[in-house]
Amino acid sequence: MSPCYCEQVWCRLSSGINAEYGDGSLLATGGLDSYCRVWDLRTGRAVLFLEGHLKSVLSCDFAPDGYHLGTGSEDNSCKIWDLRQYRSIYTIPAHSNMVTYCKFAGTPYNSMLLTASYDGTAKVWSHKGWMPLKSLTGHDNKVMCVDCSWDKKYIVTASYDRTFKLWTNKSIS
């Protein structure tokens, strides 16, 4: 087995590579410096520099429509960015503690946003209007991640209480 080598190091302040655009050409990273960067993987260069969070950006995800990006931060908020306008179009005061994860789910025409937080909850938000649809409570510690099945029938959360919970559509709606 031959060893693997790193070809490039792009960002030393990254808190993680969080989101890849559908065709694989773009990648978004959240930074400990409170910025989000969108990278063109064909050139290895940052093509967007998104400024607006007050603390570290811990998570980011591209919306299914390809025009929006969601970011979750230690400042307890989730920002929605319009990539065509190069700016934040909405700030969701999402949680009472840091937002550890944000994730879009669904199709370009029927999607929702999921957030997880150190406040012990995960929340479901409508894609249009960013209104809260449901707060998923039940963990005894901080919620670190959240994801959704492709058909939006199930949501799964994982927590520092050493459990994961599977939520059905009945518990969401």
Side-chain angles (χ1 to χ4, degrees), residues 53 70-72 75-80 90-92 94 99 102 113 115:
H53 280 291
T71 55
D75 64 13
N76 307 350
S77 72
C78 181
K79 287 190 178 289
I80 308 300
Y90 201 83
T91 300
I92 303 170
V99 178
C102 70
L113 178 70
T115 57

Side-chain angles (χ1 to χ4, degrees), residues 70-89:
T71 55
S73 170
E74 282 185 5
D75 64 13
N76 307 350
S77 72
C78 181
K79 287 190 178 289
I80 308 300
W81 305 85
D82 188 319
L83 300 177
R84 299 165 295 185
Q85 297 178 22
Y86 309 111
R87 66 181 185 93
S88 172
I89 57 170

Side-chain angles (χ1 to χ4, degrees), residues 43-147:
T43 65
R45 297 193 176 171
V47 294
L48 286 176
F49 185 77
L50 304 174
E51 180 180 4
H53 280 291
L54 302 175
K55 294 185 178 179
S56 299
V57 176
L58 302 176
S59 179
C60 49
D61 193 34
F62 287 99
D65 65 13
Y67 300 118
H68 296 98
L69 181 79
T71 55
S73 170
E74 282 185 5
D75 64 13
N76 307 350
S77 72
C78 181
K79 287 190 178 289
I80 308 300
W81 305 85
D82 188 319
L83 300 177
R84 299 165 295 185
Q85 297 178 22
Y86 309 111
R87 66 181 185 93
S88 172
I89 57 170
Y90 201 83
T91 300
I92 303 170
H95 292 272
S96 61
N97 207 328
M98 68 176 72
V99 178
T100 55
Y101 207 80
C102 70
K103 173 80 175 170
F104 281 97
T107 66
Y109 306 105
N110 182 17
S111 65
M112 60 187 177
L113 178 70
L114 309 168
T115 57
S117 172
Y118 265 34
D119 66 11
T121 67
K123 294 185 179 179
V124 182
W125 307 86
S126 65
H127 182 11
K128 301 299 180 196
W130 313 112
M131 300 301 296
L133 298 175
K134 186 73 175 178
S135 183
L136 306 175
T137 60
H139 284 289
D140 296 327
N141 209 328
K142 48 195 169 194
V143 179
M144 297 308 294
C145 60
V146 60
D147 207 347

